[in-house]
């Protein structure tokens, strides 16, 4: 029996396009995964660096993000801000943010003090959360922002005691008339306030990119096999 391959123009063009597209997208995902792997290495290295002491000098947020920091000062207890839609272990809740005046300077920095659950009966009812009085030492991780959730329309204007979806540090500085460091600190040091400080670890998504790359390579391979098999079947007929 003679086995022959029947070539047809349109299916061949479609197969080539699908194979080429799959390879291009797989290579792009691989490249993105490599970039994210380098970023993850940098994040891990920053976490191992010595604790950085924040003072009266304005910092570069890109240079210190994910660094462990320590600062001394006092909370502005009249300026709590509550970030809504911040679930923890599937429970709806808020992040409590408060400005913190750095000792011996006119600079302030936003401190993400921790998480607490939402009142199921009244979303706007906030529990009494103790605020440390006087000068205290805070330790935590520097972040450029606290992360954003989906929001329709303009950002909420920060006000004392406001419930907002997202918060921009520059916008907060304008609303509060405070000179702010361009970073936010996720507090990690202990405090007797009942807040949970189990902050989500920043994920770079390396494994997700590699999984997508595998899927695109697999699509290209399947398109090639399908093209060859159907070509021989048409040849037999």
């Amino acid at each position: 029996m003679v086995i022959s391959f029947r070539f047809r123009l349109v299916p061949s063009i479609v197969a080539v396009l699908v194979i080429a597209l799959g390879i291009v997208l797989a290579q792009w995902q691989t490249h993105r995964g490599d970039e994210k792997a380098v970023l993850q290495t940098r994040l891990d290295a920053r976490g191992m660096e010595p604790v950085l002491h924040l003072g009266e000098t304005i910092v570069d947020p890109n240079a210190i993000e994910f660094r462990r920091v320590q600062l001394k000062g006092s909370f502005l207890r009249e300026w709590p801000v509550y970030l809504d839609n911040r679930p923890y272990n599937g429970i709806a809740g808020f992040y409590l943010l408060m400005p913190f005046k750095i000792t011996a300077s006119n600079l302030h920095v936003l401190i993400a003090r921790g998480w607490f659950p939402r009142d199921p009966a009244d979303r706007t009812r906030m529990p009494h959360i103790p605020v440390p009085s006087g000068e205290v030492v805070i330790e935590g991780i520097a972040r450029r922002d606290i992360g954003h959730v989906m929001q329709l329309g303009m950002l909420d204007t920060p006000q004392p005691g406001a419930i907002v979806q997202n918060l921009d540090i520059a916008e907060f500085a304008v609303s509060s008339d405070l000179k702010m460091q361009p970073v936010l600190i996720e507090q990690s040091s202990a405090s007797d306030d009942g807040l949970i400080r189990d902050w989500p670890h920043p994920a770079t998504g390396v494994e997700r990119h590699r999984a997508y790359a595998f899927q695109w390579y697999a699509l290209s391979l399947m398109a090639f096999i399908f093209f060859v098999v159907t070509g021989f079947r048409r040849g037999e007929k």
Side-chain angles (χ1 to χ4, degrees):
M1 181 179 65
V2 178
I3 300 177
S4 61
F5 182 89
R6 183 179 178 184
F7 178 85
R8 296 180 63 183
L9 180 60
V10 174
S12 300
I13 293 175
V14 172
V16 170
L17 290 176
V18 173
I19 293 170
L21 178 64
I23 292 175
V24 169
L25 292 175
Q27 290 178 339
W28 181 81
Q29 290 287 354
T30 300
H31 178 67
R32 290 290 294 160
D34 293 341
E35 290 180 341
K36 293 293 184 68
V38 173
L39 176 60
Q40 184 65 60
T41 301
R42 291 177 181 172
L43 296 182
D44 294 340
R46 285 188 177 183
M48 299 298 293
E49 291 179 2
V51 175
L52 177 68
H53 294 269
L54 289 187
E56 59 184 4
T57 303
I58 297 289
V59 298
D60 179 0
N62 294 319
I64 74 164
E65 186 173 26
F66 302 114
R67 282 284 302 270
R68 294 179 298 140
V69 299
Q70 185 183 85
L71 59 162
K72 183 179 181 181
S74 55
F75 284 103
L76 273 64
R77 60 178 62 240
E78 70 273 13
W79 254 103
V81 177
Y82 305 98
L83 280 185
D84 199 358
N85 290 329
R86 307 291 166 155
Y88 176 75
N89 289 340
I91 302 174
F94 299 89
Y95 286 161
L96 172 59
L97 271 60
M98 295 184 70
F100 185 87
K101 186 179 185 300
I102 300 175
T103 297
S105 78
N106 65 342
L107 277 179
H108 301 75
V109 61
L110 271 175
I111 305 293
R113 295 185 56 196
W115 178 91
F116 65 93
R118 177 193 296 175
D119 187 324
D122 185 354
R123 168 179 172 272
T124 63
R125 182 187 300 163
M126 299 298 164
H128 172 69
I129 299 175
V131 180
S133 59
E135 288 192 342
V136 293
V137 176
I138 296 294
E139 294 183 359
I141 303 297
R143 298 292 303 271
R144 284 182 295 180
D145 56 59
I146 194 65
H148 292 268
V149 298
M150 182 178 295
Q151 177 170 343
L152 300 177
M154 302 292 291
L155 287 176
D156 303 310
T157 301
Q159 299 293 336
I163 298 175
V164 298
Q165 300 294 319
N166 296 292
L167 183 65
D168 179 77
I169 297 177
E171 181 67 25
F172 181 86
V174 173
S175 299
S176 62
D177 198 26
L178 298 174
K179 188 175 181 181
M180 304 295 299
Q181 286 276 16
V183 293
L184 176 143
I185 309 302
E186 293 178 343
Q187 181 179 344
S188 59
S189 53
S191 181
D192 188 17
D193 52 23
L195 296 171
I196 295 176
R197 283 175 274 272
D198 183 16
W199 303 106
H201 184 74
T204 56
V206 175
E207 297 302 324
R208 184 176 67 251
H209 286 292
R210 289 174 176 169
Y212 287 158
F214 174 80
Q215 292 174 2
W216 285 116
Y217 278 127
L219 175 65
S220 297
L221 179 61
M222 291 175 60
F224 175 75
I225 293 175
F226 180 79
F227 171 71
V228 172
V229 170
T230 54
F232 279 116
R233 286 183 177 178
R234 287 193 297 266
E236 291 177 358
K237 294 180 181 179

